[in-house]
Amino acid sequence: ITRDSATPSSSRRLLLGHVAEALSLWDEAGRRYAGVAAGEGRDLATLRSARIQALQGHLDAALDTLHELQADTSADGERVRDAYLLEAELLESSGRSDDALAAINRGMAIFEADPALLYARAMAHERADRVDAALADLRRIIDDNPRDAHVLNAYGYTLAERRRDYSGALAFVRRAHVLEPDSAPILD
């Protein structure tokens, strides 16, 4: 990993960061990501850096890194959205589910109907036993995209597991199965 030119390109630094990360060389990965210049790849490097900080036990630093990306008006919108999703994931894994939901809701204030944020919020609601709210968010995604097999399956699964509405659930799971007949989660 250390045999590169004195000034590798940003794309090469990003790639080397991925390799170091795959090898669990956290400090090396962090250095590579920190060296990615502004422009294409920088936002992804910032997300990866935050994940590494969290893996190293530096949750507050990871959250600060994500908040900087969220506030960066020049950042790619999809990466900003991903910063809210990663923040929620890190908070949830730290047992801070209310803070995780707040992070998702902050993202939703910017990306109002984003299906990834809606799905994350639905799953957060489901884990917190707010089943009606979970179903409402999943339904909102389905209404916008009735061919999203993953969400159709989640809606059906939630109906079956949390409401014991097996006939209602079956209709959604069947729709998902038609769209993705070889999907293991749907077959389950």
Side-chain angles (χ1 to χ4, degrees):
I1 290 178
T2 59
R3 289 189 219 154
D4 55 67
S5 67
T7 55
S9 68
S10 286
S11 61
R12 187 167 184 192
R13 286 177 191 265
L14 188 60
L15 175 62
L16 291 171
H18 286 311
V19 171
E21 192 175 346
L23 295 171
S24 300
L25 300 172
W26 309 125
D27 291 335
E28 177 70 18
R31 280 192 299 278
R32 295 298 179 166
Y33 292 142
V36 175
E40 190 175 337
R42 178 66 185 155
D43 300 336
L44 178 57
T46 301
L47 286 170
R48 299 308 308 165
S49 292
R51 185 174 295 281
I52 288 169
Q53 290 168 327
L55 285 169
Q56 292 180 303
H58 307 295
L59 179 61
D60 289 338
L63 296 175
D64 288 345
T65 298
L66 292 170
H67 294 158
E68 288 173 19
L69 180 56
Q70 292 164 2
D72 184 352
T73 58
S74 68
D76 177 74
E78 186 175 337
R79 299 297 186 208
V80 172
R81 188 256 346 248
D82 291 347
Y84 288 103
L85 291 169
L86 180 56
E87 179 182 1
E89 177 187 325
L90 296 177
L91 289 166
E92 181 77 32
S93 68
S94 297
R96 296 170 55 185
S97 54
D98 290 341
D99 292 335
L101 184 58
I104 294 167
N105 285 331
R106 283 195 330 276
M108 291 292 302
I110 299 165
F111 304 97
E112 294 174 10
D114 183 84
L117 286 165
L118 277 169
Y119 187 82
R121 188 169 72 180
M123 295 299 97
H125 283 313
E126 193 276 335
R127 285 188 298 276
D129 293 323
R130 293 185 293 266
V131 178
D132 289 338
L135 289 169
D137 281 342
L138 291 170
R139 189 64 200 208
R140 210 169 140 194
I141 299 168
I142 292 168
D143 289 346
D144 286 341
N145 183 5
R147 298 186 55 79
D148 188 324
H150 181 69
V151 176
L152 288 166
N153 186 59
Y155 191 87
Y157 186 85
T158 303
L159 283 176
E161 288 294 312
R162 300 307 218 105
R163 292 285 182 250
R164 304 288 185 231
D165 179 0
Y166 301 114
S167 62
L170 186 58
F172 286 94
V173 174
R174 280 186 175 150
R175 285 173 53 193
H177 184 256
V178 167
L179 293 167
E180 291 188 23
D182 297 327
S183 169
I186 294 170
L187 290 171
D188 178 49

